[in-house]
Amino acid sequence: MSLDPVQVMKGQDPLPKTCPSASNGDSKASWDDSKDIHENVGSTKKPKPGPVRRARKVEGGIFFPKPENAVTIAVSSRVLFRTEKEQKVFEQKGIEEYLRYQVEHENEPFAPGPAFPFVKALEAVNSQLRELYPDSEELFDIVLVTYNHAHVGIRLINTINYHNLFIERFCMTGGSSPIGYLKAWHTNLYLSADAEKVQEALAEGIAAATMFMSEKQIEVSETQLRVAFDGDAVLFSDESERIFKAHGLDKFFEHERENENTLLDHGPLKGFLEVLGKLQKKFYAKGHRLDCPIRTYLVTARSAASSGIRALKTLRAWGLEIDEALFLAGAPKGPMLEKIRPHIYFDDQMFHVEGAVEMGAIAAHVPYGIAQKYLHKKSTNTGK
């Protein structure tokens, strides 16, 4: 049974500012106030204010989109929340003590993890989509995926209610691989702390990435979802990256000039950009192009004049719009991402992921393509 924690870059803050009362396992914080409203159902005692659940009501019950109609985001509990202390219990004392610990602490909410702001932004977009399209099932649908035993589900449910998240779909596998379930959910994106499972998902054609927690985290928008992508081996294939790695920068530029009218093949995250664009067009159709709550970015180390035209022509031929395109010609990506403040940034090279995390940006590694053979080589990357 694998219960890998969120991978940490140079330490973590003990508790994020977004939830000072939540626990990462080190404090005794609880949600006694918010849970009283549930404990006192049927009692004459006046309940204390609790979290307001945001569910869309329809005739016959609560509305949930069908997986085949929704944009399904599968999120591991270990990236949605912080569970460092629990992981140590599992590693040091074993599964039985781990389960006992979780049950004993099920009234202590987990603190937000690196995927938490992203999920909150998805819910903000859903709220606006429901206002514009009350009967549409084209919404973000979040599925919580965990290797945990069902016993731990109570603590997870309590935590979701505490943070007022609208997550009703769970997949608790008890240590088994979740990949088959991801396909059944029609998953459009899978975020996890387990790099091996992310690679399995990618091999099955599911967009996936490994998330990282920064020692500092910049504030992100609460009203606009911002998603940033690298180009090669993320949106596009690693064809050009292979030329660069094998033959150097000059050969890379020559290859791009000779093939500027030849479309790049798709990469693992192209499909996710497509569904984001589909939702953006729903806002455009209602006159919300300039204030659309979804904004996308291309942040690439490619040079604009020397190798950028092929990337832009490929996106245009695919019918995809990128709101902002930054061609950095090998300059560090971290400072640009600090300005963008994305809810998530996808890159295939750990060199760039580390740079983003050091600046406090929320970054995710896409373990795909030739760059995975160069994970420990922090050389200058001016080709992509």
Side-chain angles (χ1 to χ4, degrees), residues 164-278:
N164 199 23
L165 297 174
F166 184 48
I167 302 177
E168 298 289 353
R169 288 176 167 145
F170 274 38
C171 184
M172 293 176 281
T173 68
S176 299
S177 174
I179 303 304
Y181 297 111
L182 297 180
K183 297 179 74 174
W185 285 115
H186 300 271
T187 300
N188 297 99
L189 177 67
Y190 172 49
L191 299 174
S192 176
D194 190 329
E196 290 185 1
K197 291 298 180 288
V198 167
Q199 289 175 326
E200 285 185 34
L202 290 170
E204 292 294 329
I206 300 169
T210 311
M211 293 203 74
F212 296 87
M213 173 69 80
S214 171
E215 65 177 8
K216 65 175 183 177
Q217 190 166 309
I218 55 179
E219 292 184 5
V220 293
S221 173
E222 295 182 357
T223 58
Q224 184 182 62
L225 171 65
R226 300 177 185 175
V227 182
F229 300 87
D230 180 28
D232 296 274
V234 177
L235 291 179
F236 314 122
S237 72
D238 67 341
E239 167 206 326
S240 298
E241 180 69 12
R242 288 178 177 274
I243 298 294
F244 171 65
K245 294 295 187 185
H247 305 290
L249 191 58
D250 289 341
K251 189 66 176 179
F252 166 80
F253 286 146
E254 178 184 338
H255 177 265
E256 292 305 290
R257 285 193 298 269
E258 292 176 351
N259 292 276
E260 69 174 39
N261 293 316
T262 302
L263 300 184
L264 289 159
D265 199 358
H266 68 85
L269 270 293
K270 178 206 173 189
F272 183 53
L273 177 60
E274 284 180 327
V275 294
L276 290 179
K278 186 176 181 180

Side-chain angles (χ1 to χ4, degrees), residues 273-345:
L273 177 60
E274 284 180 327
V275 294
L276 290 179
K278 186 176 181 180
L279 293 182
Q280 281 181 309
K281 290 177 181 177
K282 292 175 72 70
F283 287 103
Y284 299 167
K286 296 289 187 176
H288 292 284
R289 175 178 282 273
L290 296 181
D291 61 345
C292 181
I294 302 173
R295 193 162 185 84
T296 57
Y297 303 79
L298 173 65
V299 183
T300 173
R302 279 177 176 255
S303 303
S306 303
S307 58
I309 192 168
R310 189 181 184 198
L312 294 178
K313 284 185 175 181
T314 297
L315 289 171
R316 185 170 64 185
W318 287 346
L320 299 180
E321 295 184 28
I322 281 280
D323 294 301
E324 299 188 31
L326 283 71
F327 293 91
L328 303 184
K333 297 181 178 182
M336 297 298 104
L337 293 167
E338 184 182 26
K339 298 300 181 183
I340 294 171
R341 298 176 180 267
H343 292 89
I344 192 166
Y345 167 63

Side-chain angles (χ1 to χ4, degrees), residues 135-190:
D135 299 318
S136 176
E137 292 191 356
E138 292 181 306
L139 302 163
F140 290 112
D141 189 22
I142 302 157
V143 179
L144 184 68
V145 177
T146 175
Y147 296 111
N148 275 305
H149 189 278
H151 282 330
V152 185
I154 294 176
R155 189 178 186 188
L156 290 171
I157 292 170
N158 284 339
T159 299
I160 284 169
N161 288 337
Y162 176 83
H163 290 295
N164 199 23
L165 297 174
F166 184 48
I167 302 177
E168 298 289 353
R169 288 176 167 145
F170 274 38
C171 184
M172 293 176 281
T173 68
S176 299
S177 174
I179 303 304
Y181 297 111
L182 297 180
K183 297 179 74 174
W185 285 115
H186 300 271
T187 300
N188 297 99
L189 177 67
Y190 172 49

Side-chain angles (χ1 to χ4, degrees), residues 10 46 177 269 285 293 329 380 384:
K10 297 184 179 179
K46 184 178 180 180
S177 174
L269 270 293
T380 302
K384 63 174 282 292

Side-chain angles (χ1 to χ4, degrees), residues 53-204:
R53 301 310 313 283
R54 296 187 302 278
R56 179 179 160 217
K57 297 287 186 178
V58 296
E59 184 178 356
I62 296 175
F63 171 85
F64 298 108
K66 296 182 179 66
E68 60 267 26
N69 296 332
V71 177
T72 301
I73 310 296
V75 183
S76 165
S77 61
R78 299 185 183 281
V79 296
L80 184 57
F81 305 121
R82 293 181 56 178
T83 59
E84 301 95 313
K85 179 67 177 293
E86 289 74 17
Q87 177 65 18
K88 289 181 181 178
V89 172
F90 172 75
E91 292 175 349
Q92 297 172 4
K93 299 183 179 181
I95 182 63
E96 296 303 325
E97 185 61 31
Y98 168 83
L99 293 174
R100 186 179 301 110
Y101 179 92
Q102 291 281 34
V103 171
E104 290 174 354
H105 294 79
E106 64 186 21
N107 288 332
E108 297 176 19
F110 294 116
F116 189 91
F118 177 64
V119 168
K120 292 291 286 185
L122 298 179
E123 294 190 348
V125 173
N126 275 356
S127 295
Q128 296 187 57
L129 282 170
R130 289 189 181 105
E131 291 179 6
L132 296 173
Y133 299 93
D135 299 318
S136 176
E137 292 191 356
E138 292 181 306
L139 302 163
F140 290 112
D141 189 22
I142 302 157
V143 179
L144 184 68
V145 177
T146 175
Y147 296 111
N148 275 305
H149 189 278
H151 282 330
V152 185
I154 294 176
R155 189 178 186 188
L156 290 171
I157 292 170
N158 284 339
T159 299
I160 284 169
N161 288 337
Y162 176 83
H163 290 295
N164 199 23
L165 297 174
F166 184 48
I167 302 177
E168 298 289 353
R169 288 176 167 145
F170 274 38
C171 184
M172 293 176 281
T173 68
S176 299
S177 174
I179 303 304
Y181 297 111
L182 297 180
K183 297 179 74 174
W185 285 115
H186 300 271
T187 300
N188 297 99
L189 177 67
Y190 172 49
L191 299 174
S192 176
D194 190 329
E196 290 185 1
K197 291 298 180 288
V198 167
Q199 289 175 326
E200 285 185 34
L202 290 170
E204 292 294 329

